[in-house]
Amino acid sequence: MHATRVAIAPDAPAPSELPRVPATISYAALRRHGASRRRISVAVASGSLVRVRRGTYVDGSAPPEFLAAARHGGRVDCLSLLSALKVFVAVNHVLHVQMDRGSTRVPPRTDRVIRHWRSTAAASDALAAPLIEALAQACRCQPPRAAIATLDSAWYRGLVDEAGIAEVFRMLPQRFLVLRPLLDPRAESGIETLMRLLLRAHGWQVDVQVQIRGVGRVDLVVDGWLIIECDSEQFHGGWKESRRDRRRDLQAARQGYVTLRPIAEDILHRPDEVISAIRDVVAHRTALLGAHQVATGRRRRAASSR
């Protein structure tokens, strides 16, 4: 039995960090490779081989989503495949399966599976859609900001390069081209991308991945003074990380920066509240600066009148 890997760019994470993508194998192929009927039956009984459809088998170590796609006669696709590859997707509670047009013996429709009927460049025995196809499909299945975050994530992780991004957009209707200038492969997380897009949509100047002396690199800097660090439990789950972040925030404050750390959950599900809080911070700073300028002017006038 064999397995294939999703093609990745040379600077992608080490292949060992990515899940193996299984393939189906037919009963006839198993017999050609020397497996007897009894050996096949024993493998199925032990769970090392799974019969997913009549005459079709998959390695028993395959992840559940790949086994489910095989039972549907399709391939893991779209948000499901990207999640398996650790590419950011905003929300995904169902299995996305690419189905070949004309497929037969398809199981009944269910709310837990979304079928994407289209032709594909995938091999007939592959259990994963090609990555470029999955990214293009993900753009269709998500709101625009989430789609941008997914593309940023795949690009940052080295799964695609600029040519790959161009190929994604060639597979999409022309209306999606408005998203292309909004991509930024410097974003280190999908949450950071969503925050960046929210800030720019509300008119703020946003710099990405800014290096600050004595602090290091920060996610976003708004209007030159407000640092936004997009924290998530995955990367900020312990006291060691929290202690490091607080020391960095202290160093930033010494240089006149204000640091906010909205959590991923709020950026995803309560973006209006996050933006409202940032707007209040900006308004208070503007008011304080105005009051400071007025007080400074008064002191100067008083000094000049002596």
Side-chain angles (χ1 to χ4, degrees):
M1 189 169 301
H2 66 286
T4 57
R5 289 190 183 276
V6 173
I8 56 177
D11 57 347
S16 60
E17 298 175 11
L18 299 175
R20 293 191 67 83
V21 178
T24 60
I25 187 167
S26 68
Y27 180 83
L30 286 168
R31 295 301 306 276
R32 284 198 305 271
H33 283 81
S36 65
R37 288 188 178 92
R38 182 178 182 281
R39 185 179 175 188
I40 293 172
S41 296
V42 169
V44 171
S46 69
S48 62
L49 191 66
V50 178
R51 182 181 181 272
V52 291
R53 291 163 67 83
R54 188 172 66 188
T56 304
Y57 299 81
V58 175
D59 190 318
S61 64
E65 62 268 31
F66 291 93
L67 292 174
R71 291 189 175 101
H72 276 77
R75 303 171 183 87
V76 181
D77 189 26
C78 192
L79 307 184
S80 299
L81 178 60
L82 297 172
S83 294
L85 296 176
K86 295 181 170 49
V87 173
F88 174 85
V89 297
V91 178
N92 182 41
H93 300 304
V94 298
L95 176 65
H96 291 253
V97 180
Q98 181 269 322
M99 303 289 294
D100 293 334
R101 299 184 189 280
S103 295
T104 58
R105 294 187 288 131
V106 177
R109 186 182 301 275
T110 168
D111 292 339
R112 298 171 63 183
V113 176
I114 294 178
R115 297 167 177 165
H116 301 299
W117 295 89
R118 66 169 191 271
S119 58
T120 179
S124 60
D125 65 346
L127 276 183
L131 178 62
I132 297 298
E133 292 181 20
L135 286 168
Q137 188 66 58
C139 290
R140 295 173 179 268
C141 287
Q142 297 185 101
R145 286 176 184 161
I148 294 168
T150 292
L151 294 176
D152 274 2
S153 175
W155 198 351
Y156 171 75
R157 296 194 67 243
L159 297 176
V160 291
D161 55 14
E162 190 164 359
I165 292 294
E167 184 62 24
V168 169
F169 281 99
R170 277 195 289 270
M171 299 183 69
L172 290 168
Q174 191 170 5
R175 67 178 184 274
F176 284 88
L177 289 176
V178 297
L179 304 183
R180 177 62 184 88
L182 302 177
L183 268 61
D184 193 327
R186 295 174 296 170
E188 294 186 349
S189 71
I191 294 298
E192 180 186 323
T193 293
L194 294 177
M195 189 73 255
R196 180 187 82 235
L197 295 173
L198 281 169
L199 290 165
R200 287 181 176 168
H202 286 80
W204 284 300
Q205 173 65 42
V206 183
D207 294 312
V208 177
Q209 293 299 315
V210 179
Q211 190 75 26
I212 298 176
R213 178 178 49 84
V215 177
R217 192 169 67 248
V218 300
D219 292 338
L220 305 168
V221 175
V222 180
D223 290 349
W225 63 271
L226 178 60
I227 295 173
I228 306 287
E229 293 278 44
C230 303
D231 292 350
S232 65
E233 185 177 357
Q234 180 181 3
F235 298 108
H236 298 81
W239 172 243
K240 181 179 179 181
E241 291 79 9
S242 179
R243 182 171 56 188
R244 179 204 63 192
D245 289 341
R246 293 182 191 193
R247 286 173 175 166
R248 294 177 73 228
D249 294 349
L250 186 62
Q251 290 300 319
R254 294 177 67 180
Q255 299 178 55
Y257 292 95
V258 174
T259 302
L260 294 181
R261 293 182 174 273
I263 61 175
E265 179 182 348
D266 289 343
I267 295 172
L268 273 171
H269 304 298
R270 301 195 296 174
D272 291 344
E273 185 171 329
V274 173
I275 289 297
S276 178
I278 293 172
R279 188 180 290 115
D280 287 345
V281 171
V282 172
H284 285 311
R285 178 183 170 91
T286 301
L288 287 172
L289 288 176
H292 176 72
Q293 291 173 354
V294 169
T296 300
R298 287 174 178 170
R299 285 196 298 271
R300 288 175 177 172
R301 288 192 295 273
S304 63
S305 63
R306 292 173 185 169

